[in-house]
């Protein structure tokens, strides 16, 4: 992604990638709700859609950028 001020390419930091990687487990984890609890199917799809939208909305505010690409490990 590019910086709107200096027009240089920016990369997410390693810490930011790890943090958001853990957050993305929320959506698949919510798939276990109908197995563990008696959740109606419409509520289940609403929860899945809601968590997906929430993650997409929160990502721009939680990502940290760097001028250089860092290794994941």
């Amino acid at each position: 992604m590019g910086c709107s001020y200096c027009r240089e390419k920016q990369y997410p930091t390693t810490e930011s990638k790890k943090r958001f990687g853990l957050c993305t487990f929320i959506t698949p984890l919510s798939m276990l709700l109908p197995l563990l609890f008696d959740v109606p199917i419409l509520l289940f799809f609403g929860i899945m859609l809601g968590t997906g939208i929430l993650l997409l909305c929160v990502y721009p505010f939680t990502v940290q950028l760097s001028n250089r690409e860092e290794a994941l490990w």
Side-chain angles (χ1 to χ4, degrees):
M1 102 187 39
C3 176
S4 59
Y5 297 109
C6 65
R7 305 281 186 231
E8 289 188 27
K9 192 167 184 175
Q10 300 289 304
Y11 303 95
T13 62
T14 303
E15 182 180 329
S16 181
K17 288 179 190 177
K18 288 179 184 177
R19 187 176 347 142
F20 195 70
L22 289 175
C23 289
T24 57
F25 280 112
I26 293 171
T27 304
L29 193 60
S30 66
M31 295 173 89
L32 295 174
L33 282 176
L35 297 174
L36 300 175
F37 306 104
D38 189 25
V39 177
I41 196 73
L42 287 176
L43 180 62
F44 167 70
F45 284 122
I47 291 171
M48 290 292 293
L49 183 65
T51 56
I53 291 172
L54 179 70
L55 287 174
L56 287 174
C57 291
V58 170
Y59 180 73
F61 299 105
T62 58
V63 70
Q64 296 173 344
L65 300 174
S66 172
N67 289 337
R68 58 185 173 83
E69 191 167 15
E70 301 172 355
L72 190 56
W73 302 104

